[in-house]
Amino acid sequence: MKRTDGSLARDWPAGYHRIPFWLYSDPEVYEREQQRIFAGPSWSYVSLSAEIPRPGDFKRSIIGDKPVVVTRDKDGGINVVANRCAHRGVQFCRRDFGNTAEFMCPYHQWTYDLKGNLRGVPFRRGLKQQGGMPEDFKLEEHSLQRLQATERHGVIFASFNPQVPSLEDYLGSSMLFYFDRVFDGRELRVLGYMRQRIRSNWKLMFENIKDPYHASLLHVFLVTFGLFRADQPSAVKMDETGRHAVLVSRRGEQKASEGTSEMKSFRANFKLNDPKLLTPVKEFPGDATVVMQTLWPNLIVQQQSNTLAMRQLVTRGPDTFDLLWTFFGYGDDSEEMTQLRLRQANLMGPSGLVSIDDSEMMELSQHGIGQYPDATAVIELGGRDARDEDHMVTETPVRGFYKYYREVMGL
Amino acid sequence: MSIDPRDLRYERYEVEELYYEYVECLDDEELERWPEFFVEDCLYKIIPRENFERNLPIALMRCESKGMLKDRVTTVRETSVYAPRSLRHLLSNIRIKGNDNGQLRVQANYAVLETLPDEETRVFNAGKYVDLVVREDGKLRFKEKLCVFDSLLVPGSLIYPI
């Protein structure tokens, strides 16, 4: 519903420690998110460079709910174009990956080069002096829609909006530091894909990875084996706007502490039959063993022990999103390190010993939230403001996210 | 080498029994029995066809020993938090593709139906088993079991083994 001045006719209490539930189910909110967030001046993750290494390589990707194609042209440059023929709108690219000299729309065979330039139109001059395109029809006026594209250390981002700042300014120095920690310029090696459709609003995924509170309570696996727990040295940090964040922590041991008495999921006696699953090795500089980075508006960079993954969010309406997991390692990984990454992937994905809890909880959340649009969430752990903290007994990054969200959405 | 068709028929009967018993165990949610269908030194993976065909090694579940199978069962039973559900496996086209020194290469198609609270039954996962079957203590068991599934996109979470 809109007011006569065009604003959404819904109320949101002042501040960002109360989140109204209509944000998670209202189609008008979803539409505005597509326009202002996913088509706004933001950098959306679309691909790793290692997925399209050779000239002519392409990959289908999605920003918000809009299909795009990421290509590497014959000069080695990265291009991101809308997956929509300039003629009649056909989604011309249906293969997830491939290598080609040109794209041809199957409907009327308009052909484009890998930069998105229209190269040919059948019957342009007509047939037997009949029909054809008007004399003033110009190929160069009918290219594929080109997006802004940028790459940093093997990670490709794109934007529908030409006003987007440089990626470095967009991330800010604090977030750039953590980004470069995983993406240090080494060649990346893709280990494979997982994908799941979660029937909840996309924002619940970001809230989940911006909320270290739940991890110490919900996830028996993390808590018991000390992979991520509130009594360990930890930090939560954000960029200046609050839109990006990291949760940083250091692995502890499977032993009781002052904190574990409040964690019902701590199991002092739980032993694995095959401990190979949890024998991580240190590979990054510094003390942190887990860094979960959330980058506005569609990316989670996962580094938990030796399992690394991009989690790309694809919105599918107000009450559904897809989570696209791309697991990777480095080109110079030893065979042993690759085995560790593959083994520890058991923690993550649609069957993850940890992440199952999250995908299930997001769907349960939507079941509760969706039918009660006028109720609100209480986000007060650690205060009512949004600032960096050197502990994880806080929901401050969730407040940071909604502080920025409110500004962008004009709500 | 000559092949005695009577032996093949009996082998086929034994293999089919193994598969029917295996899916029955999962449908009846007798998860504690599930690792017993495998030899100690085994490999179990659930892997999307996209990864399998492109030789990308990531799997949704990856158990490299009977111990890891048991750990999976423990987490499903005791540590994971999820909505209750029931699953039903449909099997077809069980084929013995070859015999490498007593290791049978077996493939079969499967479909798993899932029923969640407040929901209609849906097709949850479909694919093929690509397996190595061996005889241990007179009983056929899986040395290797790959569940290669067709749609990369998993509806919700894949909690129980397939």
Side-chain angles (χ1 to χ4, degrees), chain A residues 130-399:
Chain A
Q130 292 177 306
M133 287 294 187
E135 280 296 315
D136 59 355
F137 181 87
K138 294 190 177 62
L139 292 179
E140 55 271 26
E141 288 175 359
H142 301 279
S143 300
L144 296 172
Q145 182 184 0
R146 280 180 64 86
L147 281 70
Q148 308 297 309
T150 191
E151 176 181 346
R152 184 176 175 85
H153 297 173
V155 187
I156 302 168
F157 295 85
S159 179
F160 280 103
N161 194 313
Q163 306 303 318
V164 67
S166 75
L167 180 69
E168 288 69 23
D169 288 346
Y170 177 77
L171 294 178
S173 60
S174 164
M175 289 302 115
L176 203 54
F177 170 81
Y178 285 102
F179 183 86
D180 286 351
R181 179 176 167 278
V182 171
F183 306 104
D184 56 8
R186 269 184 294 168
E187 194 184 327
L188 303 177
R189 179 188 165 201
V190 174
L191 297 176
Y193 302 94
M194 301 185 197
R195 198 177 269 212
Q196 63 189 134
R197 178 155 293 171
I198 298 172
R199 287 179 301 176
S200 87
N201 185 272
W202 65 278
K203 295 188 290 297
L204 289 169
M205 183 73 251
F206 272 124
E207 290 181 31
N208 178 266
I209 303 292
K210 288 172 183 286
D211 157 24
Y213 184 19
H214 86 280
S216 283
L217 301 165
L218 173 66
H219 298 306
V220 177
F221 224 82
L222 292 183
V223 171
T224 298
F225 296 110
L227 294 174
F228 190 100
R229 206 168 67 202
D231 58 343
Q232 295 158 201
S234 310
V236 295
K237 294 181 181 172
M238 288 168 273
D239 72 321
E240 283 177 5
T241 67
R243 62 190 167 190
H244 316 301
V246 285
L247 309 185
V248 186
S249 190
R250 189 194 308 173
R251 190 180 186 205
E253 291 169 34
Q254 185 179 1
K255 64 179 185 192
S257 74
E258 186 191 348
T260 52
S261 61
E262 287 202 50
M263 301 176 208
K264 290 191 176 58
S265 37
F266 179 74
R267 310 273 172 85
N269 299 320
F270 182 18
K271 291 274 179 288
L272 291 174
N273 284 290
D274 191 338
K276 273 207 303 286
L277 183 62
L278 290 178
T279 48
V281 302
K282 179 176 161 56
E283 64 171 316
F284 296 103
D287 291 333
T289 58
V290 46
V291 175
M292 303 294 288
Q293 186 168 39
T294 40
L295 297 181
W296 176 278
N298 78 334
L299 177 65
I300 297 159
V301 182
Q302 160 203 310
Q303 182 263 310
Q304 164 58 271
S305 303
N306 306 111
T307 173
L308 307 172
M310 313 302 270
R311 302 186 195 174
Q312 181 183 357
L313 276 76
V314 173
T315 57
R316 298 288 188 194
D319 55 5
T320 304
F321 73 96
D322 292 348
L323 195 56
L324 280 47
W325 306 67
T326 304
F327 287 79
F328 63 92
Y330 300 100
D332 60 2
D333 281 347
S334 65
E335 186 52 33
E336 290 73 27
M337 179 56 91
T338 299
Q339 288 304 317
L340 284 182
R341 299 199 200 287
L342 298 179
R343 210 172 278 147
Q344 291 172 25
N346 273 304
L347 298 173
M348 301 299 176
S351 299
L353 299 172
V354 175
S355 53
I356 279 175
D357 304 343
D358 292 324
S359 44
E360 286 291 299
M361 210 48 60
M362 285 184 273
E363 293 200 347
L364 285 182
S365 297
Q366 190 72 27
H367 290 330
I369 288 169
Q371 309 313 317
Y372 293 99
D374 297 323
T376 57
V378 181
I379 316 285
E380 295 196 5
L381 193 77
R384 298 193 178 92
D385 55 359
R387 58 191 166 138
D388 294 358
E389 301 281 4
D390 285 327
H391 61 83
M392 59 163 93
V393 195
T394 180
E395 292 167 311
T396 183
V398 180
R399 289 188 289 273

Side-chain angles (χ1 to χ4, degrees), chain A residues 70-105:
Chain A
V70 189
T71 75
R72 189 176 297 277
D73 59 44
K74 62 182 191 318
D75 308 319
I78 299 283
N79 306 271
V80 181
V81 293
N83 193 354
R84 170 176 56 80
C85 181
H87 178 213
R88 302 264 286 271
V90 167
Q91 190 181 120
F92 57 89
C93 180
R94 293 296 295 170
R95 284 161 64 206
D96 285 338
F97 295 92
N99 185 281
T100 188
E102 63 182 21
F103 290 112
M104 185 175 72
C105 177

Side-chain angles (χ1 to χ4, degrees), chain B residues 22-89:
Chain B
Y22 177 87
V23 299
E24 182 183 68
C25 164
L26 293 175
D27 288 345
D28 292 348
E29 222 190 284
E30 295 176 0
L31 290 184
E32 286 68 19
R33 286 208 299 129
W34 173 64
E36 299 310 317
F37 287 91
F38 294 80
V39 297
E40 199 67 43
D41 178 22
C42 61
L43 179 65
Y44 174 78
K45 289 198 286 188
I46 303 180
I47 180 165
R49 193 176 62 180
E50 279 83 346
N51 292 349
F52 186 72
E53 289 178 351
R54 297 178 63 198
N55 287 317
L56 295 170
I58 277 287
L60 273 73
M61 284 189 199
R62 177 189 199 88
C63 299
E64 299 170 10
S65 65
K66 196 190 254 191
M68 278 198 202
L69 297 172
K70 289 177 179 166
D71 290 333
R72 217 3 123 160
V73 173
T74 309
T75 58
V76 172
R77 287 288 194 223
E78 294 182 31
T79 76
S80 294
V81 180
Y82 55 91
R85 63 202 61 203
S86 64
L87 301 175
R88 191 160 308 284
H89 292 65

